[in-house]
Amino acid sequence: MEEATEDGGNLAGVQHIVVVLSGKGGVGKSTISTELALALHHTGKKVGILDVDLCGPSIPRMLNVQDRDVHQCDGGWVPVFVDQDKSIAVMSIGFLLEKPDDAIIWRGPKKNALIKQFVSDVAWGELDFLIVDTPPGTSDEHISTVESLRPYKPLGAILVTTPQAVSVGDVRRELTFCKKTGLRVLGIVENMSGFVCPHCLECTNVFSKGGGQELAKHAEVPFLGCVPLDPQLSQSLEQGRDFLQEFPKSLAFPALADIARQILAGASACSS
């Protein structure tokens, strides 16, 4: 690992690293990670997704690459490419399982070792952005991820919540985690913020609204936007299709595109 950090190792060609976090499970971190990657891709950026949710690797299915295999090269593991242009690359433990239903029954040290190996041994090549999708919480996997990425100076973290007070409270703890580990918070996303009716396109606030925005205001961090529940988005993720390309008139489309725009602006500001 020390040798890798001296010359950048396999992350030498990665311009910006964004970590997606939440203290709560089921809030849609993988959804936001996937759609952010696709949105950045549609702006002409080369993007990688590192899935470190070892017990629930859903990124491969969301991008319809769950049946692919990972290969070795001189530089380490070759990530799975989503498109022929090799502009979206993915690495996940899902590619390493013998059967898709195999459970990862590992203690912390083994998980931490694999996360460190993912960071150091995946041959990403040239990327504009690497999106790191994490499991819920603030425990071993998160500490290992942040510590392993620290030498490569991540751009920061996106925190995902849903509008309910319980979820917002858990994400407040994630803010504390970021502060204690020195990880910059790029902003908060309020996911599942209202339900979009597929017939009349009216948005109903099923889970209340505004909790994420209020938390961002209280914590004095950017609020990146609200993403509504949209059946078309759910179906696209289930089938591994490109939601942003297929449903540009969806109410979720401008929200996701604006999140990507803000991340691009933040990256540009850090580079200048």
Side-chain angles (χ1 to χ4, degrees), residues 15-16 155 264-272:
Q15 298 301 310
H16 304 290
L155 183 64
L264 283 168
S268 179
C270 285
S271 300
S272 60

Side-chain angles (χ1 to χ4, degrees), residues 203-224:
C203 188
T204 303
N205 295 321
V206 180
F207 300 127
S208 76
K209 186 176 176 66
Q213 188 168 9
E214 188 64 29
L215 176 60
K217 181 180 178 181
H218 177 76
E220 298 182 337
V221 299
F223 180 65
L224 299 177

Side-chain angles (χ1 to χ4, degrees), residues 2 4 6 18 25 35 38 53 74 103 108 120 177 202 217 258:
E2 292 178 358
E6 289 177 2
V18 176
E35 298 305 323
L38 289 170
D53 191 346
D74 291 342
S120 63
F177 170 83
E202 182 179 346
K217 181 180 178 181
D258 192 54

Side-chain angles (χ1 to χ4, degrees), residues 149-198:
L149 291 172
R150 195 187 308 280
Y152 309 102
K153 300 179 180 178
L155 183 64
I158 295 173
L159 274 56
V160 183
T161 186
T162 50
Q164 306 99 306
V166 171
S167 177
V168 170
D170 287 335
V171 174
R172 189 176 288 112
R173 298 182 187 94
E174 202 75 42
L175 283 165
T176 303
F177 170 83
C178 291
K179 184 176 181 180
K180 288 186 175 181
T181 57
L183 184 62
R184 176 190 173 203
V185 176
L186 299 174
I188 294 174
V189 173
E190 183 177 296
N191 194 28
M192 307 182 196
S193 184
F195 168 72
V196 179
C197 174

Side-chain angles (χ1 to χ4, degrees), residues 109-131:
K110 194 169 182 179
K111 289 182 178 179
N112 297 342
L114 182 61
I115 289 171
K116 291 176 182 177
Q117 192 173 4
F118 274 168
V119 170
S120 63
D121 290 358
V122 179
W124 294 105
E126 300 292 325
L127 292 179
D128 295 298
F129 287 89
L130 177 63
I131 312 298

